[in-house]
Every structure is written in structure tokens, then in C-alpha cells.
Amino acid sequence: MPKGNGDVASAVPDVPTARQVGAEAERGIAMICEIADAVWRGVNPSVSNPSVQPLIGQFETIRYGAAMDLGTEDASGSRELYRSHCLVVREVASGDRDHWVITFDNYGIGHGFDRPGFGEAWLKAQGISAIHVMGKAEDWYQYSDIEAALASVRTAVGTASRVITYGSSMGGYGAVRFADAIGAHAALALSPQYTLDPDIVSHDRRWAQDAHRIGWIKRMNGRLNSAARIIVVYDPRGPDDWHGRRIAEESSGDVIRLPFTGHPVTSFLSEIDMLGSLVVDVLHDRLDSRNFEREARGRRATSGVYLGEIAGLQPMHRQATALALARRALDVSPANHHARLNLAKLLLRGDAVDEALLIFEGLVVDSEQALHYLVNYGQALAVAGRLTDARVIADQVIERASGIAHLNAWAAQLCWLNGDTAQARKLIRNAVRLDPVSQGYLELAVDYHLGHPTIDITAPVRSTIWLEFARWIARHRIFQQLPGIWVRWLRANALPAV
């Protein structure tokens, strides 16, 4: 999971202290909103955003039969247009069959095909005909038969008067990249990636393990030459900005920038009740992008996502303001798990450990032990000095997600802090094996193999002469110029196969 935003606090100028965020709460919040916009226009720090928010359709529980015949409509009104080992194209037609929305999966929507497509329940409830292009996993649709799947969509909507593509994050990539292939008139992409092909973009490491695992199809990831009107909506404050700007430069369309709304922006739009109208307006070709952007910014003070993002950016000397904003975020959006998470992190930062841990524990229960909240709970336990309890959480996480590199590295640290050096070394070897290009995992592997453990979470490795020697080599210019030799040596010597 992406790292937090603590490193950008220093980039945000002092916000006027809201000492009386009680009687004058509304005025204080509005003032901070205006200052936040000014900060973005002047500073615009490039930061990874950690928020992972629920998307429309993500947690629906509709079940589908695996043996549905192609072209045969089932009792729910669905029919499959295409099926392979990697892809399924499902049509869900409604009353209006002259306007179609073609959706693409977001990251984390679920593996396999026994699930709904992105936004399926909402689109059906609105009477909007949709086709859902579903991949077997988080592969950014880099499948050899993707053209055949898209051709089935183009055939199905060939007589329609209006067709749009729609997706969020990974799905936004699909909406932009495949609009022409299906003959779409417009593409609505929320927080999309231009590409994650490491040969083109190496600075965005949010999905580094996947990016290096995937075999990128070069003809699908070059310069955009889309005839469709592309509408891109994103938070320009972090790594999404590069992708949004690149898409805008290479396409004719609209860019809607909503600073401090997180990744994906989908959650913010849903919370301020503007996501549905956006989809409908694009579908009927009546979107006024500038008016939409103004309206969305006008509603931001009612968003727990927005207020939580601003709260998380406050420096330590603005802890009272940060907590006031975080509590306000929870007031305006009490069902928002991420607002609770932001508050818990800020409480932990301010040494209100017991209150913070209660919130973390409640999030784990309420989310049915979602990994994102489980990891945050484990980290909070470690920060609170409860290393044994944190290790228990780490074991649960790895039991469920042993194939994710950064979780192996996180669990390795907790094992190391608990004195279990053998398990720590095994887990960090797993992390290197899963993401061999990560310099950070390689450095941790050296630390864990040549150093000695401590119980200090801020300095968990006690140096040795061999560790200092290895670190000196790592800093040498020759080493920096020959990373391939280092990786091969490390694999052959310090990192035996697991």
C-alpha cells in the first residue's frame, strides 16, 4: 500500500490556527479550503496519496454463473459477448439501448469473473445500458486477445448514437486507451494512468511490483491519438498530475483538476453527490467542464475526503488544527472509513494512543478485516510499543497476501523488531524476489543479513563492520552504475531461493 503523506507537511505554508473551530468552525474550514487552493497553485508538491476508497460497484455481491453461454441473456438481463482465460465482456442492457457506457475495472475490484463489473449495479438502477470489460487480475488489460474483446464491444454498439468509456484509476487507463478501438464518442477517466510501462514512466512506484511484472504491449502504450473527447478528472497534487498532464497534451478533451481530493477522485465525487451527474452528462454530451469544476470545489467543505486530506497535511505544530479538521471530516462523513483512519493516524501522532488504537481496531472490525486497515492497525500497535501484537497482525496479513512485495517488507520489519531474524530474512527475500528492481528492498535485505536487531522502531538495525562495508560499497559510483551485477550477486549469495 502506498506510503503516507507526512513528508509533504513542510511544503505546506502555515495555515491560520483555528483555535475556535467550534463556534466559528464553518468560517475556519472555508478559510483553510481557500488557503489549500493557494498552496496547490504555488507549490503543487509531487506526493503519493494513500487513500484507497470504495468505488461504485466495488463491494456488490451479485453472483454470476460461470457457464453462461456467449450471446445468451440470463435472468438478470446480462449476456456475455466475449470470454477467454483473461477477459470477459458482459453486456447489461437496460431500457435505453441507444446510449451505452463501456466500463473498465478499477484496481482491486476482484480477481476472476464471478463478480459485477465496475459500476454495474448503479448503471442498471439508472436504466443505463452498459458493457463491462473485465480482466482476470490487475494487469492493466495487457492481454494478447484484448483487441478481439474490444471488437466484440464495437460490434455490439455499432448502431448506437452515443457511446462512452468509463473507468477509475486502472479503469481510467482502459477508458482512455481503448476508446477508439470500440468507436466511443467520449472517454470519462477518473484519476487514470497514461501508462505504467517502466520504459516510459519510472517515477510512479505506486504499483511498481505490477508494473515490472506485466508484459506491456508497446503498441497500446505509446502516444495517444484518440478521436474521442477525453474527459480527465484527477487530483493534481500528487503523482496523478504527470499522468493527467500527459493525457491532456496528447488528446483533445477536457481536464478537471480537483486538488486535495485523493486517489481516486471517484470517492470525493461520490461523496459530494456529483459522480452520477458527471457520468450522465458525459453520456448525453452536455458536460460543461468549467462549471462542473467550480461546483465541485464549491462543495468541498462538505467532503470528508477533502477535509481529511487537508488534515493530514498539517505539520506537527498545527496538531490542534489537524485534529479539528479530521473530526470535522468525520462529522460530515460518518460512514467514511478513510476519515476515521485519518483521525486515528493524527491521534497516534499526537500520543493519544488509546483513542487511536480503539479507532484502528474498530476499522478492522467494520471493514471485515480489509487488508488496508489491518496493516494500519498493525503499524499502530508497533508505534505504540506493542510489538508482539503487531507481529500477530503481520502474520495474518502475510497469510492472506504473501504475493505482495511491500507487505512482505513490512512484515519483515515487524519480525525483525520481535527478534525473529530468520523469518525477517525470509520475508525480505520474498520482497526482493517479487520486486527485484526495488533498491529499498535490496538495502533492507543487506541490513537484515549483516546487521543485528534492536527493539527501536526508528532505528531497528544495529550496525556491524560487515554491514558498514556493504553500505560503503552500495554508495560507490561503480555500484550505482552496475545494479545488474549487484542484483545477481545478491540473489546468488545473500538471497537464496525461498
Side-chain angles (χ1 to χ4, degrees), residues 276-296:
S277 63
L278 175 62
V279 175
V280 172
D281 285 349
V282 174
L283 180 60
H284 292 282
D285 196 20
R286 62 187 184 216
L287 175 69
D288 184 325
S289 297
R290 299 285 72 80
N291 282 342
F292 181 90
E293 184 174 303
R294 282 193 294 271
E295 177 66 19

Side-chain angles (χ1 to χ4, degrees), residues 19-248:
R19 287 189 306 127
Q20 295 90 12
V21 181
E24 300 185 354
E26 298 299 333
R27 187 168 63 86
I29 297 296
M31 182 184 301
I32 289 172
C33 290
E34 292 302 322
I35 292 174
D37 266 359
V39 170
W40 167 67
R41 287 193 295 271
V43 180
N44 193 20
S46 179
V47 192
S48 175
N49 189 289
S51 59
V52 180
Q53 296 285 346
L55 304 176
I56 289 178
Q58 185 172 347
F59 300 113
E60 298 165 309
T61 56
I62 299 172
R63 306 291 289 178
Y64 295 91
M68 186 189 299
D69 292 332
L70 288 180
T72 302
E73 189 171 295
D74 71 357
S76 68
S78 303
R79 67 177 182 130
E80 285 187 0
L81 304 178
Y82 183 88
R83 175 178 280 268
S84 71
H85 173 67
C86 298
L87 289 159
V88 162
V89 177
R90 179 182 298 132
E91 175 191 288
V92 184
S94 293
D96 180 2
R97 302 196 179 201
D98 199 38
H99 295 76
W100 289 82
V101 176
I102 316 302
T103 78
F104 296 86
D105 291 341
N106 61 283
Y107 191 99
I109 197 171
H111 291 187
F113 308 115
D114 189 18
R115 59 174 174 82
F118 176 71
E120 181 171 336
W122 184 86
L123 290 165
K124 189 173 182 179
Q126 303 304 308
I128 298 173
S129 292
I131 294 176
H132 306 282
V133 184
M134 304 163 64
K136 68 176 182 179
E138 291 86 359
D139 299 317
W140 272 261
Y141 292 96
Q142 304 301 298
Y143 303 122
S144 60
D145 61 331
I146 183 63
E147 285 96 344
L150 297 174
S152 73
V153 178
R154 189 179 187 111
T155 299
V157 299
T159 61
S161 63
R162 181 75 174 170
V163 178
I164 70 168
T165 56
Y166 171 43
S168 174
S169 192
M170 182 179 77
Y173 164 89
V176 169
R177 288 288 176 178
F178 306 135
D180 274 11
I182 64 174
H185 301 89
L188 175 57
L190 309 178
S191 306
Q193 294 83 52
Y194 173 82
T195 182
L196 288 180
D197 183 345
D199 291 339
I200 299 173
V201 52
S202 59
H203 60 275
D204 188 347
R205 291 191 52 80
R206 287 175 292 178
W207 305 277
Q209 181 182 340
D210 294 300
H212 288 280
R213 169 186 57 81
I214 293 168
W216 294 89
I217 302 172
K218 298 302 181 182
R219 66 180 180 276
M220 287 169 32
N221 291 280
R223 184 176 178 82
L224 287 171
N225 292 293
S226 180
R229 177 192 179 191
I230 295 178
I231 298 100
V232 184
V233 190
Y234 66 97
D235 180 346
R237 177 182 55 98
D240 283 344
D241 189 47
W242 183 89
H243 297 279
R245 288 179 181 274
R246 188 72 178 264
I247 292 169

